[in-house]
C-alpha cells in the first residue's frame, strides 16, 4: 500500500498493490513488476505514466478506477479475470481493442457515469460472467452461457443476441434510445434464470398485452423477482400483465405514464409482492 507517509513492500516481488491518487512517488521499478497479481488505483483523475501492464503476465485483477495513462495489451494477459475502468479512459487509449483480446476475462466493470459509444466486441470472451457499464454503442456478445449480469445494453444490441443461449442471466438492464428497436417482452420470457430486470425508454408506448407470444400465457417470467420500468407510456393497465409473474417481490414504475384512469389487481395477483413504488 502506497501513500505519502509510508511505502510498504517496496520489492518487485509484491503481488498486490494499491496506489492512491495523491501518492506521486510510485517507484519506477514497480511499474514492471512481473509477479503482480492485483493492482488497484483509486482517487481522483490522474495520469500514471509508464504503468507497464504488458510485463504483468500473471495479473488477475486490474482496477484502473479513474486512472488515465498508457495501457496496452497484446493478448498476453491470459490470467486476467477482473477489469474495471472509467468510461473516460476510452478517450485516451483504445481500450475497446484491448478488451477483445482478454479471452478469459470474467468481470468487465465500466460502471462510471460516462457512456461508452465505442463498439465493444466480447464474442471471444466466453468466460464472461458480469458485464457492467453504460454501453450506448454496439455491444457484441457471442456464446454467453456463463453470463449472469448485463447492465446495461441498448435495445438495438439486445435485439441481435440469441436470447435462448443466455441460460444463466440473472440481472439485466436494457435501455431504448430514440428511434431504436423496441424491446420485445417475448425475448425476455426466454431467460429462465432472470431475477432482476430494468427497462428504460424515452417515453415509448408499450402495449404488453398485444404481444402474441405472451398474451395467452398464465405465467410470465416465473423467475423474475424485481422489475423496474422507467419512462414508459402504457397503452393499457399494466397490472394484469405484471401480476402474472408469480415470484415478483419488487415492482418500481418510475416516471411512467398511464392515462387510462384506474389500475386494477386481482385478488390472487402479486402473491409475493413486498414493494410497490410509483414515482
Amino acid at each position: 500500500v502506497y501513500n505519502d507517509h509510508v511505502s510498504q513492500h517496496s520489492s518487485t516481488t509484491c503481488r498486490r498493490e494499491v496506489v492512491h491518487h495523491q501518492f506521486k512517488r510510485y517507484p519506477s521499478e514497480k511499474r514492471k513488476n512481473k509477479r503482480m497479481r492485483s493492482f488497484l488505483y483509486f482517487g481522483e483523475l490522474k495520469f500514471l505514466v509508464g504503468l507497464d501492464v504488458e510485463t504483468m503476465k500473471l495479473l488477475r485483477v486490474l482496477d484502473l478506477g479513474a486512472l488515465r495513462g498508457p495501457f496496452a495489451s497484446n493478448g498476453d494477459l491470459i490470467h486476467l479475470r477482473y477489469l474495471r475502468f472509467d468510461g473516460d479512459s476510452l478517450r485516451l487509449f483504445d481500450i475497446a481493442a484491448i478488451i477483445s483480446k482478454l479471452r478469459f476475462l470474467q468481470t468487465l466493470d465500466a460502471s462510471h457515469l460516462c457512456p461508452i459509444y465505442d463498439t465493444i466486441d466480447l464474442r471471444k470472451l466466453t468466460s464472461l460472467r458480469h458485464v457492467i457499464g453504460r454501453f450506448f454503442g454496439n455491444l457484441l456478445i457471442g456464446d454467453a452461457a456463463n453470463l449472469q449480469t448485463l447492465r446495461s445494453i441498448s435495445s438495438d444490441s439486445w435485439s441481435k443476441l440469441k436470447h435462448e443461449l443466455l441460460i444463466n442471466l440473472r440481472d439485466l438492464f436494457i435501455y431504448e434510445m430514440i428511434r431504436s428497436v423496441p424491446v420485445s417482452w417475448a425475448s425476455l420470457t426466454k431467460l429462465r434464470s432472470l431475477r432482476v430486470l430494468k427497462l428504460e425508454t424515452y417515453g415509448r408506448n408499450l402495449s404488453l398485452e398485444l404481444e402474441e407470444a405472451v398474451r395467452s400465457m398464465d405465467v410470465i417470467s416465473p423467475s423474475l423477482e424485481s422489475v423496474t420500468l422507467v419512462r414508459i407510456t402504457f397503452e393499457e393497465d399494466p397490472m394484469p400483465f405484471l401480476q402474472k409473474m408469480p415470484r415478483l417481490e419488487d415492482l418500481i414504475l418510475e416516471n411512467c405514464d398511464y392515462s387510462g384512469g384506474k389500475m386494477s389487481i386481482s385478488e390472487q395477483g402479486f402473491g409475493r409482492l413486498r414493494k410497490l413504488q410509483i414515482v
Side-chain angles (χ1 to χ4, degrees):
V1 177
Y2 295 95
N3 56 50
D4 282 338
H5 303 290
V6 60
S7 175
Q8 300 177 358
H9 307 294
S10 59
S11 71
T12 56
T13 61
C14 180
R15 293 189 175 188
R16 298 173 178 84
E17 296 190 18
V18 178
V19 180
H20 188 261
H21 73 98
Q22 292 182 338
F23 184 71
K24 301 178 181 180
R25 300 192 305 275
Y26 186 59
S28 58
E29 70 274 8
K30 295 298 293 178
R31 299 172 186 169
K32 295 185 178 182
N33 183 358
K34 296 182 179 180
R35 298 191 179 186
M36 187 182 297
R37 300 289 183 89
S38 175
F39 179 83
L40 167 64
Y41 179 90
F42 69 102
E44 299 175 0
L45 291 174
K46 290 288 181 178
F47 285 89
L48 185 60
V49 180
L51 179 64
D52 195 351
V53 178
E54 288 290 293
T55 63
M56 304 175 186
K57 299 184 185 299
L58 300 179
L59 199 64
R60 296 180 65 88
V61 176
L62 180 58
D63 190 334
L64 296 174
L67 178 63
R68 295 182 177 185
F71 172 40
S73 172
N74 57 14
D76 288 339
L77 298 177
I78 61 174
H79 296 286
L80 194 65
R81 299 294 184 267
Y82 178 94
L83 173 63
R84 191 184 81 87
F85 60 91
D86 285 351
D88 285 334
S89 302
L90 288 167
R91 301 174 183 176
L92 299 168
F93 45 86
D94 190 6
I95 202 165
I98 296 171
I99 293 172
S100 65
K101 300 176 182 178
L102 304 176
R103 294 172 50 202
F104 299 103
L105 192 69
Q106 294 181 359
T107 299
L108 173 61
D109 186 351
S111 55
H112 189 260
L113 293 178
C114 180
I116 300 173
Y117 292 95
D118 299 58
T119 295
I120 304 297
D121 191 350
L122 306 177
R123 288 175 292 184
K124 295 183 180 180
L125 282 62
T126 57
S127 299
L128 269 177
R129 298 180 181 177
H130 308 284
V131 177
I132 305 170
R134 300 179 66 193
F135 298 102
F136 280 30
N138 290 328
L139 186 63
L140 307 178
I141 300 177
D143 182 3
N146 295 314
L147 193 62
Q148 299 178 18
T149 304
L150 181 54
R151 303 196 309 261
S152 57
I153 182 173
S154 70
S155 59
D156 287 338
S157 295
W158 175 255
S159 65
K160 300 173 184 178
L161 298 183
K162 296 181 179 179
H163 308 118
E164 63 275 6
L165 299 181
L166 302 173
I167 57 177
N168 289 307
L169 189 61
R170 301 178 181 179
D171 191 339
L172 174 63
F173 176 14
I174 307 176
Y175 62 89
E176 292 186 7
M177 302 292 289
I178 299 176
R179 296 186 297 275
S180 61
V181 176
V183 176
S184 167
W185 202 279
S187 68
L188 303 176
T189 61
K190 300 177 182 179
L191 308 176
R192 299 179 180 179
S193 301
L194 190 64
R195 297 180 181 177
V196 179
L197 171 66
K198 182 176 181 180
L199 176 59
E200 181 175 342
T201 75
Y202 282 85
R204 184 188 296 273
N205 292 338
L206 184 63
S207 181
L208 300 172
E209 291 290 351
L210 289 181
E211 292 196 36
E212 186 69 25
V214 298
R215 183 170 51 190
S216 59
M217 290 183 177
D218 295 328
V219 176
I220 298 173
S221 302
S223 61
L224 264 178
E225 299 176 356
S226 175
V227 172
T228 301
L229 304 176
V230 182
R231 288 195 295 271
I232 292 178
T233 299
F234 296 108
E235 296 181 354
E236 70 277 326
D237 183 358
M239 294 304 178
F241 177 86
L242 296 172
Q243 71 182 6
K244 292 182 180 181
M245 304 175 187
R247 297 185 60 182
L248 192 62
E249 297 181 0
D250 298 337
L251 176 59
I252 300 174
L253 305 179
E254 181 179 337
N255 294 325
C256 293
D257 185 26
Y258 172 58
S259 57
K262 294 182 180 181
M263 293 183 178
S264 60
I265 301 174
S266 67
E267 186 176 351
Q268 293 78 25
F270 296 118
R272 294 192 179 186
L273 196 66
R274 299 186 301 176
K275 176 181 179 181
L276 174 60
Q277 183 175 348
I278 302 177
V279 295

